Amino acid sequence: MKKIGFVTPWFGMDIPGGAEMELRELVLHLKSTPLEYEVLTTCVKSFDSDWNRNYYKLGEYVEQGIKVKRFPVDKRDQEAFDRVNAKLMRGRSVSREEEQIFIDEMINSSQMYDYMREHDEEYSLFVFIPYMFGTTYHGVRLNPQKAVLNPCFHDESYFHMELFKELYAKVAGI
């Protein structure tokens, strides 16, 4: 059986957040199964860290028995992202071009996407959590047929973005 890749923007045993706790508890539970899996994430420490700064070094880690592969975060245009995000946070609609800016200028890792593309055959599926980050959007685009979304949806402006609706309708499962 091939392994499962859990893809998330950041991962750690001590970082707060609902999606972060959901993934942490899930992979800790899976330790008692024969499944082979690992977490693919960026080198960013957490949601409230600088998304342009690699806190961790590139490489493989083991955290409480969980295999974690960390990849450098791409440099981003924070001002462009902040302009679009401010509109979304106020519940205002944004254009298709602004949606693309939001996705492209948030947290991403080209090296992680390259790894996923090059090692696709080693994985039976990739589980993406949560829905609204570049790591999920661009990761799902690589192979929607192997993509399972653990979205952690909220009724918020991001949820209504057309780019998310179109892509996530193509995933293998939710």
Side-chain angles (χ1 to χ4, degrees):
M1 175 179 245
K2 296 179 181 181
K3 61 187 164 186
I4 300 169
F6 290 91
V7 183
T8 191
W10 36 75
F11 181 80
M13 293 298 164
D14 60 348
I15 57 175
E20 293 82 355
M21 184 177 71
E22 168 78 15
L23 178 57
R24 187 171 49 248
E25 293 300 316
L26 175 59
V27 295
L28 286 170
H29 174 75
L30 289 176
K31 283 178 20 177
S32 64
T33 72
L35 294 173
E36 185 181 354
Y37 63 94
E38 59 194 11
V39 175
L40 307 176
T41 190
T42 72
C43 295
V44 169
K45 184 177 182 182
S46 65
F47 175 79
D48 56 359
S49 300
D50 179 352
W51 295 357
N52 273 319
R53 183 174 169 267
N54 291 304
Y55 176 82
Y56 296 99
K57 291 185 174 159
L58 164 72
E60 292 187 20
Y61 294 75
V62 176
E63 298 184 25
Q64 293 189 20
I66 308 302
K67 188 185 215 182
V68 180
K69 289 187 177 177
R70 296 184 183 279
F71 300 88
V73 69
D74 295 344
K75 292 298 178 198
R76 55 194 280 270
D77 183 341
Q78 185 173 340
E79 287 183 21
F81 173 82
D82 288 349
R83 276 193 303 275
V84 176
N85 193 42
K87 288 174 82 172
L88 289 163
M89 289 179 71
R90 289 192 298 269
R92 296 162 100 190
S93 62
V94 295
S95 69
R96 180 67 169 224
E97 293 77 22
E98 288 172 312
E99 286 187 7
Q100 197 65 55
I101 290 169
F102 177 85
I103 293 297
D104 292 340
E105 300 304 335
M106 72 147 31
I107 189 164
N108 283 290
S109 176
S110 297
Q111 286 189 34
M112 182 168 68
Y113 308 144
D114 290 344
Y115 172 86
M116 292 169 66
R117 193 177 299 106
E118 293 164 12
H119 296 268
D120 181 72
E121 290 305 313
E122 297 172 23
Y123 295 86
S124 57
L125 57 93
F126 293 97
V127 178
F128 296 89
I129 183 171
Y131 80 97
M132 61 178 279
F133 292 96
T135 51
T136 298
Y137 180 82
H138 290 295
V140 165
R141 289 183 65 204
L142 295 173
N143 190 342
Q145 298 80 17
K146 281 190 180 180
V148 174
L149 188 61
N150 185 344
C152 303
F153 286 139
H154 292 75
D155 187 9
E156 56 193 351
S157 57
Y158 311 108
F159 174 76
H160 300 282
M161 289 173 58
E162 291 302 317
L163 288 176
F164 290 147
K165 289 180 189 177
E166 292 167 9
L167 182 64
Y168 299 158
K170 299 175 184 174
V171 298
I174 294 182

